[in-house]
């Protein structure tokens, strides 16, 4: 399907799904496109250089990725990875400190003792604090926005950050594993289309810290 234009590719995905359900036969579909894997697969096997990384439903891969590679492969735009230090329920990120639920903190207590962890947060779990309902749980931080892409129903804000050398090398290796090129360390934030955040703003950003993933980079 990669030779088709974007609109036709979407139509062909739905036709293949209909055909597969009508025939009722087990089908193995091999693709490098994570959108095809997520939309066509009942179970998805994520491979890295021929080695199985995780076998699960698309929802499980998205909500509970087994490692950094799976987390970076599933989702568009991809998950953000940030250096993090955990102390109790507090997670120190490049932009400030956010709070995580106690049960999540308990799971990482052993790894946290080693020092630096990698926090993974998807772009859609951020929002402009000005448009977030007060009843929603989460944390806020302030950061300078470098670039904003407005798409009508939503916008993407890009926020550069400095990463320690050991984290930068890890992120560069992850980009190579995912067949990409690491140009800069930056946070990609998805905003509601009504947000008025503009390039150059010192913006207040809300994050659903309960959806944060914490990885031990060593393992």
């Amino acid at each position: 399907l990669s030779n088709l234009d974007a609109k036709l590719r979407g139509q062909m995905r739905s036709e293949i799904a209909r055909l597969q359900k009508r025939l009722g036969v087990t089908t193995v579909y091999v693709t490098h496109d994570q959108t095809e894997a997520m939309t066509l697969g009942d179970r998805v096997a994520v491979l890295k250089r021929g080695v199985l990384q995780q076998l699960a439903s698309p929802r499980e891969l998205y909500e509970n990725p087994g490692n950094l590679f799976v987390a970076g492969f599933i989702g568009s735009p991809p998950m953000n990875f940030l250096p993090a230090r955990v102390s109790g329920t507090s997670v120190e990120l490049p932009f400030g400190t956010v709070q995580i639920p106690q049960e999540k903190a308990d799971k990482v207590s052993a790894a946290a003792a080693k020092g630096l962890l990698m926090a993974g947060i998807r772009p859609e779990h951020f929002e402009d604090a000005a448009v977030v309902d007060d009843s929603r749980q989460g944390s806020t931080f302030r950061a300078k926005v470098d670039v904003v892409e407005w798409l009508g129903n939503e916008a993407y804000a890009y926020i550069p950050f400095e990463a320690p050398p050991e984290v930068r090398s890890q992120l560069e290796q992850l980009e190579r594993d995912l067949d990409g090129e690491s140009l800069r360390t930056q946070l990609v934030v998805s905003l509601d289309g009504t947000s008025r955040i503009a390039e150059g703003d010192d913006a207040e950003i809300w994050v659903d810290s309960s959806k944060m993933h914490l990885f031990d980079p060593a393992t």
Side-chain angles (χ1 to χ4, degrees):
L1 302 187
S2 60
N3 292 323
L4 305 176
D5 65 71
K7 187 175 181 181
L8 189 54
R9 194 157 61 234
Q11 292 174 334
M12 282 301 295
R13 280 203 309 268
S14 63
E15 287 303 318
I16 290 172
R18 287 191 185 98
L19 183 64
Q20 196 275 334
K21 284 179 172 56
R22 182 162 60 82
L23 295 176
V25 294
T26 299
T27 306
V28 178
Y29 188 92
V30 182
T31 178
H32 291 277
D33 187 313
Q34 60 100 1
T35 303
E36 289 177 18
M38 295 284 279
T39 54
L40 291 174
D42 298 297
R43 289 196 301 161
V44 180
V46 181
L47 300 174
K48 174 185 173 184
R49 295 174 184 164
V51 178
L52 181 65
Q53 303 295 299
Q54 190 171 358
L55 174 62
S57 69
R59 184 178 293 275
E60 177 72 9
L61 292 178
Y62 179 85
E63 295 181 347
N64 192 26
N67 58 27
L68 284 166
F69 180 83
V70 176
F73 179 70
I74 298 296
S76 181
M79 183 182 285
N80 296 293
F81 295 114
L82 308 163
R85 293 188 185 277
V86 180
S87 176
T89 59
S90 298
V91 182
E92 183 186 340
L93 301 173
F95 308 104
T97 301
V98 300
Q99 300 298 315
I100 56 174
Q102 184 64 53
E103 60 269 21
K104 193 177 285 281
D106 292 340
K107 291 180 182 177
V108 297
S109 57
K114 300 177 184 177
L116 199 65
L117 299 180
M118 200 82 84
I121 318 174
R122 298 196 181 278
E124 53 268 34
H125 296 144
F126 293 90
E127 187 53 271
D128 179 354
V131 302
V132 174
D133 190 287
D134 292 339
S135 63
R136 295 178 70 181
Q137 298 294 313
S139 298
T140 61
F141 61 89
R142 298 197 73 86
K144 189 175 180 62
V145 175
D146 189 33
V147 175
V148 174
E149 297 174 336
W150 190 73
L151 304 173
N153 65 319
E154 63 181 344
Y156 292 119
Y158 295 83
I159 304 171
F161 66 90
E162 291 299 320
E166 63 269 29
V167 172
R168 182 178 287 274
S169 62
Q170 181 105 12
L171 292 175
E172 288 173 352
Q173 180 59 51
L174 186 61
E175 280 295 329
R176 286 193 291 270
D177 291 341
L178 295 167
D179 295 329
E181 292 296 331
S182 182
L183 298 177
R184 66 179 71 236
T185 50
Q186 62 181 359
L187 182 68
V188 183
V189 174
S190 177
L191 305 172
D192 189 272
T194 61
S195 170
R196 294 297 179 179
I197 290 177
E199 295 174 11
D201 283 357
D202 182 31
E204 186 175 13
I205 305 294
W206 174 88
V207 56
D208 185 353
S209 47
S210 68
K211 298 292 177 64
M212 180 190 300
H213 300 273
L214 289 161
F215 300 93
D216 181 352
T219 62

